[in-house]
Structure formats: structure tokens, C-alpha cells
Amino acid sequence: MPTAILTGQPVPGSSIESELRSLGFEVRAASGAADAELLLAQVSAGERVALVDARFVGHLHSLRLGLTDPRFPLAAIPGAVTAQPAARQALTRAMARENLAVGGAALGGAPARVRQGEGDAESLADRITAALDADGADVHRPELGSLVAAVPADPQARNEARQSVAAVDDEAVRLKSAVKARDGFVTTFFISPYSRYIARWCARRGLTPNQVTTASLITALIAAGCAATGTRGGFVAAGVLLIASFVLDCTDGQLARYSLQYSTLGAWLDATFDRAKEYAYYAGLALGAARGGDDVWALALGAMVLQTCRHVVDFSFNEANVDSTAAAANTSPTAALSDKLDSVGWTVWARRMIVLPIGERWAMIAVLTAVTTPRITLYALLVGCAFAATYTTAGRVLRSQTRKASRTDRAAKALADLADSGPLAEAVAAGLRKPARRLPGFTAPAVALLGGLAVVATAALTGFGGPWPVVAAVAYVLTSGLAVARPLKGALDWLVPPFLRAAEYGTVLVLAAKADVNGALPAAFGLVAAVAYHHYDTVYRIRGGAGAPPQWLVRTIGGHEGRTLVITVLAVLLTATQFKLALTVLAVAVALVVLVESIRFWVAAHQGGAPAVHDEGEPA
């Protein structure tokens, strides 16, 4: 149980003790700074501890934001400071130095760093916060907005602070802040106005975000099953259930923000299940169409490939620029134009809608499923996603070309991890490292694009079973190695991972379609889904600060170039029916390896107390 140490002179009628207990703290009172240091030493090193001024006046949600958010090792609001186990040593040092500076007295020391009129300069918690700042510690200060957090210096100030508390409904603020600040049109105006209340209902009944996330997954899988029936009633039910799944998908994040229940495992589940839900629904549409005599597996697989490549563009661009000098300085004229457009209300929503974020996309899929056919639904999805991908990618290319960026080694390492190079590409890269340094800056994305186009085009333009796709795949191995032979720090090097994803997925799609045998495309769908899961897992590990998956895993499943070469060789050596079986075996094998390692890693990270994270997710 976390412990809160109350310091300073108690105030008759104060509710601070009961408020802290309602937040789960065990409350102990300190008679002075020296006593507070002693109590701090007595708290278990594995527990959160907080120092709170007994004169604190403010909203309960201010205390919740300042003292219970699991994402930040150190956090403070006026009159209170808290440390998680990872930051206990910093808090203990600051407390010891404060007591040494004042000779063990309870008062004195550096003035508190709070806004004038909001706090008492003699507050021990504020002095400790100032000492932590002086040490260079990263102290999180939540944005309180209209919420009150103060340590009044006299009765008049206390009365004014209490009036300010009464004037603001902190529950309304809490509900509003549970909604993501930046979201799509459909989510903002058609889902969040009521899903926030579902989140509060869940919180009051002790439900966790992970439980709501799982409910969303189950609902989406049932929707996919309804779509697979191939009946009009099944399609209508599928559309309704898909919307219900999305409502729950919004609710889990709002519940996390409402109750501050953030975790590494939760962020992974939320992101992973989103992909599983959507791609399972594509498969459900394909199965439903097949029951009606229409084969749309190629469209379903194409939609998954396109959507996954869109996400890789998002991930790669963000990782390449998250800590670049250009990102901090906003040096791109394109970025400046984007900011100018965002200053006009209607353009904000128009630009958010045309990228077809998840809310708009799922609403379109649900409605079209209910009133049209799977083929029309998937055609509309492909057209919409293709337009969105063109728009977003073109804008990012312009930003990259016009901004003056200096990318870091961390960004280059992230892009190399996202490339998913196997032993073949690594061997080629090692041999070409020196000559690659003398090549122009655009070499990496150019050779990745050309190599990918060559293997996909060759597979598409030659007959199934011919040797030319193998020749193109060998060339693809060489171009892939050259693309990563030097650090990916060029202006457009973030395009390398999406080009490689498109090449691998596209080759599997084309060869399965060319096999022209019943079951080949569903097998290819399963293989691409398994490999895409591995690629998403890589992204989420990087975002969680855990780095890429272990090298043994990447080498075991061959890397993108190894898998592409193996697929083309199998297409030459096997009959179409045997090729279908080989795709199925590969899909099962890759899925088992990556799922077992992924689940092992994330469960171990969660049990090991990995830092809590909260990923707002990509708009797409």
C-alpha cells in the first residue's frame, strides 16, 4: 500500500486525510521535517511514498493526478510531492539535504516554487520539490487547468481557496480529461460524448482497462463470425457489433485516463488487439462472400497489406523525427502550413477525416457491411485507404525534404530495427558498408523501392512456377542489404521500412493469387497476418523503451528478405496445391514463434514492474 506522510500544522476540519485514504494511501503524520525523514525511511523501498502538506486545499482529482499516476517516477503539485520506488533515492537525498540545511528544523529553506498566492513558501513538500528540481530530477507536474491545488498561508487565503474548489466540478473535469485531446470526427462527436460515461461506470465497478480491451476484442471477433455467415442478417449484426467493439475500444483508453490505470501490458494489448480485430473482420468478410460464391480474399489481403503499410509509414516517420532538431524547431515550411490550416476550425476536421482514422474507417466498414456486399465494402476500403496513404505520405515526404533535420543515432537504430533485416541482408550490408558511405543520400530508399518493385512486378508478370521471381528475390536480398548498409539518417530514409514491408507482403499476395488454387489466398492472409504481428510487436517494444525483439527471433523467422526468398523458391519447387500447404505451414510456424516470444516478453515486463506507458495511438 502506498504511504502519504502529512507534514506541517494540521488544520481543524480539513478533509485531506480522508481524501488520501480514498486514493489508497496509508496516512502517517510527521511532527516536523526530521520526523518526516524518519517516517520516509520506514516506508518499504518497493512502495510509492508521498509528502503532503496538512494545510493542502484542492480538488480530489488534483491529488489523484499528482500522486497516483503510474507513468511518472516523480510528480508534484503545489503542497504535495510523490516518488515511486525507482525515484525513492532521489527523494531521500533531497529530504536529507533539506534537513541538513535547516539543522533538522521543520521550517525554513528554499522558497517553494509555486505561483504567488497559491502556496505557502514554508511548505516542506514544495521545498523538497524545489530541491529535486535543483538536482536535475525529472519531476512531472500534471496540467491541472481549472482544478485547484494550494497551500493557503492564512485563514483568508484558505477561505478563498475553498471557494475556488466549490466553484469547479472536478468530476466534470475528470470526465472531460478522460477523452483523448486529439481524435477523429466520428470518435469526437459520435462516440466520446457517451463512451466517457461507460468508462466511469466501469471504474465505479472496479473493471480494468485490460478487461474492457478484451471485451472489445471478443465483440469484434463475434462481429467477424457474423460476417462470415454470408447472410444479410449476419452482415447487419456484424456492422452493429463492429461499432459496439469500437465503442469499447474508446472506452478502455478513457477508463485508463479516468482512473489513471496505465500499464505497459495494457498499452500493448490495446494496440495489438486493434489490429487483430480489424484484420479478423476482413477475414470474416472474405468468408461471408465465399459462402455467397464471391471470392474476395485477394481484396481482403490487399486491404490488410495497405493498412499495415500505412501504419509502418506512420511509425517510421515518427521514430525518425521524434528527437530530431527539426521536430523541435518546426523548421519545415510544410509543417508551418499545416499549423496555419489547423488554425481554421473546419480544416482541422476535414484533414482528420480524409486520412480515414480508425473511427471513420470502422464506421464506413460497418455501414457498408450492413447495406452492401463484402466486395463493395473492401473496394471502398481500398480506395479510401489508398487516398489516405497517398495524402499522408506525400505530406511527410515534403516535410522531410524541406526541413533541416539532424537525426540521432537512436532514430537510426529504430529505423534499422523496423527494417527487420535477417541474416542475408545483414551479411550483404556488412560487405557493402564502406562503399555505401560514398553513395548519394537518397540511395537507401531508392534501392529499397527498386528492389521491392522488381520482386513484386516479376512475380506478377511471369507465370507461377517460373524461375524469374527467384532471380528477382536474390536481387532483392542485395538491394535490401545495401539499403541498410549505413545508418538510416537521410532525409527520406524513414521510407525504407514501409518499402520493405510492401515488397514482402506484396510478393506473398501476388504469388498466392497466381497459384490460382482454392485456399492459397487464405493461407497467404494467415502468413501476412503472422508476419505483420511481428512487425507491430517490434514497434510497440520500441515505443515502450524496450528496444527491438531479440536477434535470435528475427533470424529464426528469416528476416523480410529471407522470407521473401523462401516464398519465391517454394513457388518454383512446388505445385500450386503444395505451395498452398507450404504457406499454411509457414503461417502457423511464424505465428507460434512470434506469439510465444511476444507474450512471454510483455507478461514478464508487466510482472517485472516495467514503467507504465500510455500510447494515444496512431490516428490511422
Side-chain angles (χ1 to χ4, degrees):
M1 175 181 291
T3 299
I5 300 173
L6 280 179
T7 66
Q9 184 66 33
V11 177
S14 172
S15 60
I16 184 64
E17 286 194 43
S18 62
E19 289 174 343
L20 289 170
R21 289 193 177 95
S22 73
L23 295 177
F25 285 92
E26 177 185 349
V27 181
R28 301 179 185 177
S31 59
D35 191 29
E37 183 178 7
L38 179 61
L39 289 175
L40 177 62
Q42 293 173 353
V43 177
S44 170
E47 294 179 358
R48 176 193 285 273
V49 65
L51 295 174
V52 183
D53 196 295
R55 299 163 293 173
F56 177 88
V57 174
H59 288 99
L60 177 62
H61 195 48
S62 295
L63 287 171
R64 183 181 291 108
L65 290 172
L67 303 182
T68 67
D69 196 322
R71 295 172 295 174
F72 308 103
L74 285 168
I77 57 175
V81 60
T82 184
Q84 295 202 69
R88 278 288 295 279
Q89 189 174 6
L91 181 65
T92 301
R93 280 199 308 265
M95 173 69 83
R97 191 167 62 256
E98 174 65 23
N99 278 341
L100 182 63
V102 299
L107 299 177
R113 298 185 182 184
V114 295
R115 293 191 294 273
Q116 185 176 3
E118 274 197 335
D120 179 2
E122 302 298 323
S123 168
L124 175 61
D126 291 332
R127 295 205 312 274
I128 296 299
T129 302
L132 288 168
D133 286 334
D135 286 343
D138 185 10
V139 182
H140 170 69
R141 289 174 171 81
E143 187 66 44
L144 298 180
S146 59
L147 296 175
V148 176
V151 182
D154 52 59
Q156 180 179 351
R158 173 172 291 277
N159 184 55
E160 292 174 354
R162 285 175 170 170
Q163 290 178 358
S164 297
V165 170
V168 175
D169 182 356
D170 71 334
E171 178 61 20
V173 173
R174 188 182 179 190
L175 269 174
K176 183 178 180 181
S177 62
V179 177
K180 195 186 301 184
R182 181 182 181 274
D183 223 328
F185 182 85
V186 169
T187 305
T188 299
F189 294 104
F190 294 96
I191 306 296
S192 292
Y194 60 88
S195 61
R196 70 184 76 180
Y197 295 100
I198 301 175
R200 182 172 67 180
W201 183 90
C202 292
R204 290 177 174 176
R205 281 151 184 82
L207 298 177
T208 67
N210 290 353
Q211 291 171 330
V212 178
T213 301
T214 303
S216 175
L217 172 66
I218 293 172
T219 304
L221 293 180
I222 295 173
C226 291
T229 63
T231 64
R232 178 53 52 196
F235 289 147
V236 171
V240 172
L241 287 171
L242 188 65
I243 294 298
S245 174
F246 182 63
V247 172
L248 292 174
D249 183 53
C250 294
T251 300
D252 63 4
Q254 291 165 358
L255 175 58
R257 286 182 286 271
Y258 181 84
S259 56
L260 301 184
Q261 296 185 72
Y262 303 120
S263 70
T264 301
L265 180 64
W268 170 68
L269 287 176
D270 184 43
T272 303
F273 284 4
D274 278 353
R275 306 286 75 79
K277 289 181 287 190
E278 186 165 4
Y279 299 158
Y281 193 84
Y282 295 173
L285 286 175
L287 288 169
R291 287 180 177 274
D294 190 13
D295 186 355
V296 297
W297 274 107
L299 297 179
L301 179 52
M304 182 167 66
V305 169
L306 180 56
Q307 188 58 32
T308 303
C309 289
R310 281 188 65 197
H311 281 133
V312 177
V313 168
D314 294 338
F315 299 144
S316 296
F317 182 79
N318 291 337
E319 289 302 323
N321 294 285
V322 67
D323 53 1
S324 74
T325 55
N330 196 27
T331 56
S332 166
T334 309
L337 175 61
S338 178
D339 291 341
K340 185 176 181 180
L341 288 174
D342 280 347
S343 66
V344 182
W346 68 270
T347 64
V348 174
W349 295 114
R351 293 172 69 225
R352 290 186 190 180
M353 291 175 69
I354 62 176
V355 300
L356 209 63
I358 188 169
E360 277 75 356
R361 191 168 68 251
W362 282 28
M364 179 186 75
I365 294 171
V367 171
L368 290 178
T369 299
V371 301
T372 65
T373 65
R375 178 173 291 274
I376 292 175
T377 301
L378 290 170
Y379 271 134
L381 181 63
L382 284 166
V383 171
C385 286
F387 177 81
T390 302
Y391 171 79
T392 55
T393 305
R396 287 166 177 171
V397 168
L398 287 174
R399 289 192 185 200
S400 300
Q401 289 288 70
T402 54
R403 69 176 17 162
K404 298 177 181 179
S406 176
R407 295 197 170 92
T408 64
D409 291 337
R410 190 218 64 81
K413 175 66 166 59
L415 291 178
D417 291 334
L418 290 174
D420 190 36
S421 299
L424 295 177
E426 287 180 345
V428 173
L432 297 177
R433 193 153 287 135
K434 288 185 178 179
R437 293 173 183 169
R438 298 190 293 269
L439 296 174
F442 59 82
T443 298
V447 297
L449 174 61
L450 292 175
L453 284 175
V455 69
V456 175
T458 303
L461 299 176
T462 60
F464 180 81
W468 291 111
V470 176
V471 175
V474 172
Y476 175 67
V477 170
L478 299 176
T479 57
S480 298
L482 179 59
V484 297
R486 64 183 181 189
L488 297 174
K489 293 185 177 182
L492 296 177
D493 283 0
W494 56 270
L495 286 169
V496 170
F499 284 158
L500 300 180
R501 293 295 79 74
E504 179 185 1
Y505 301 161
T507 301
V508 175
L509 190 162
V510 169
L511 287 176
K514 298 286 283 187
D516 196 23
V517 61
N518 189 35
L521 280 166
F525 189 97
L527 177 58
V528 172
V531 175
Y533 176 88
H534 164 63
H535 291 144
Y536 280 114
D537 188 54
T538 301
V539 169
Y540 303 139
R541 292 194 195 210
I542 293 172
R543 287 188 165 186
Q551 277 299 305
W552 71 260
L553 175 65
V554 177
R555 289 174 179 148
T556 298
I557 59 176
H560 69 93
E561 81 291 349
R563 290 188 296 271
T564 302
L565 181 59
V566 167
I567 292 298
T568 57
V569 170
L570 290 174
V572 172
L573 298 179
L574 304 177
T575 65
T577 302
Q578 292 170 333
F579 181 68
K580 174 192 71 174
L581 180 61
L583 288 179
T584 304
V585 172
L586 280 175
V588 173
V590 171
L592 284 176
V593 173
V594 299
L595 279 172
V596 169
E597 162 55 21
S598 175
I599 293 171
R600 181 209 64 78
F601 169 79
W602 288 104
V603 171
H606 179 70
Q607 293 175 342
V613 296
H614 180 62
D615 183 5
E616 291 287 359
E618 294 300 314

